[in-house]
Amino acid sequence: MKATAAVFPATGAPVAFHEVEVAEPRDSEVLVRMTATGICHTDLSVRDGIIPFPLPAVAGHEGAGVVEAAGRAVRTVEPGDKVLLVPPSCGVCGPCGTGHPSLCEVSALRWSGRRLDGTPVLALDGAPLAARFLGQSSFCSHALVEERTVLRAPRDVADTTLAPFGCGVVTGAGAVLRVLRPGPGSSVVVLGAGAVGLSAVMAAAVTAATRIVAVDLVPSRLELARELGATGTINGREAGDLGAAIRELTGGGADFVVETTASTQVLRAALSGLARGGTVGLVGAAAPTEQLALPLVQLVSGAMGLRGVVMGDGSPAFLRALIGLHRQGRLPVDRLVQVYPFERIDAAMADAAGGRTIKPVLTFG
Ligand SMILES: [Zn+2]
Ligand SMILES: [Zn+2]
């Protein structure tokens, strides 16, 4: 069938809209008509060649939509169902088998641009077009994905709110609720108040943590962080010594730090604000060449933990729980979203890159 795709033609080039050919769904596949898709910094990194993915390509990995067709072996959804696109996983490797599908060992599901057998799912002018980006490629009117990449979603959640649950929301909220798990009376410091950081703030606000501190450079984002549950904020531009500012607002040091900026400079500055025995969750996606130098003595004597977190260690059950929290009004993801029509993807990406929009979400049709 034909679909309309926003194609990244070459490194750094503006998006080009094309009519593309979508392959027929196989037995295990689902064809989703997209209704909304979020833009994440990982998409910008692909466009800019920072994260390697074969171009030209269709990116996008935060999608919501309606099932249009399902293969014969598909059991969990049927045509007409509203769905959220979620990170891909194989279902049989070690991490998948132990409830950690975000750590699935089959990285070709995320990065190869094709099905596992090498066949393309999209074609442009008769030539294969890289897709299946992070298992999805939601910057297209239709996404042909594996059944494990869709999750049936409740109809009463707006599609524009639902879409970012698949990456930005689960990444920030999962870092807090699935990985760091702050206990009663603990303190959580979130470095960076973008979509991931603010999702971490909202998640911390549904735990028994009593001090939640957001750090950013943009005053309006810090204000929003307060409205979403932060008990204190630090403007990194104004705080001379970030570690000292963190120690002050946490009453001695942070038990948990969620690092979303992917800046080694920010991380090093924040480390001196970590409490003894505290843990840093590393969430921000750095360039593959980025290296980190840390004071080893401080790490050891402070009994500090450094923990990488991938997609919030999310799972379908956890995503359902997050959507449930949202429906109760306890995870107001809609506060992060600004809606743009699909045709304005370049403007939306520019607003995301420039920090003017926290979570741009594109709508179709
Ligand atoms: Zn993402
Ligand atoms: Zn797997």
Side-chain angles (χ1 to χ4, degrees), residues 64-346:
V66 178
V67 173
E68 200 148 285
R72 281 180 305 177
V74 170
R75 294 284 173 270
T76 59
V77 294
E78 55 186 42
D81 280 349
K82 174 168 169 164
V83 289
L84 169 68
L85 297 188
V86 301
S89 58
C90 75
V92 294
C93 72
C96 281
T98 52
H100 303 282
S102 295
L103 303 182
C104 176
E105 290 168 353
V106 187
S107 63
L109 285 171
R110 297 181 281 268
W111 302 113
S112 72
R114 299 184 175 212
R115 292 181 176 116
L116 282 184
D117 69 359
T119 56
V121 294
L122 293 183
L124 172 58
D125 297 333
L129 179 63
R132 283 282 161 97
F133 175 61
L134 291 169
Q136 302 181 15
S137 289
S138 54
F139 293 165
C140 187
S141 62
H142 295 76
L144 180 63
V145 299
E146 282 291 325
E147 179 182 14
R148 290 181 60 83
T149 315
V150 298
L151 185 69
R152 199 146 57 87
R155 294 197 179 274
D156 61 358
V157 177
D159 295 34
T160 50
T161 304
L162 184 65
F165 276 80
C167 177
V169 174
V170 73
T171 295
V176 173
L177 298 173
R178 283 269 289 177
V179 179
L180 299 177
R181 298 171 181 252
S186 58
S187 54
V188 179
V189 172
V190 178
L191 304 176
V196 172
L198 290 171
S199 295
V201 167
M202 287 188 280
V206 298
T207 72
T210 46
R211 296 183 202 238
I212 303 166
V213 178
V215 181
D216 203 282
L217 304 174
V218 182
S220 60
R221 291 182 173 217
L222 294 174
E223 207 176 293
L224 181 56
R226 274 189 182 275
E227 292 171 23
L228 296 175
T231 59
T233 57
I234 298 169
N235 187 323
R237 227 186 283 285
E238 292 159 6
D241 179 344
L242 180 58
I246 289 173
R247 285 195 300 278
E248 192 185 322
L249 284 181
T250 53
D255 299 309
F256 302 98
V257 170
V258 181
E259 204 307 298
T260 75
T261 70
S263 159
T264 53
Q265 201 185 338
V266 172
L267 174 60
R268 271 201 305 270
L271 265 191
S272 65
L274 198 63
R276 293 178 69 76
T279 303
V280 181
L282 299 169
V283 173
T289 51
E290 192 76 52
Q291 303 282 316
L292 174 63
L294 291 174
L296 196 52
V297 168
Q298 193 188 330
L299 277 177
V300 175
S301 63
M304 293 173 181
L306 283 180
R307 171 81 191 263
V309 184
V310 179
M311 303 296 278
D313 193 24
S315 66
F318 180 63
L319 272 159
R320 277 189 213 101
L322 290 180
I323 293 168
L325 282 170
H326 170 74
R327 292 170 83 203
Q328 291 181 326
R330 298 162 76 195
L331 206 71
V333 172
D334 48 296
R335 300 287 308 277
L336 314 182
V337 169
Q338 184 154 340
V339 175
Y340 300 73
F342 183 45
E343 299 72 40
R344 296 197 64 230
I345 183 170
D346 269 327

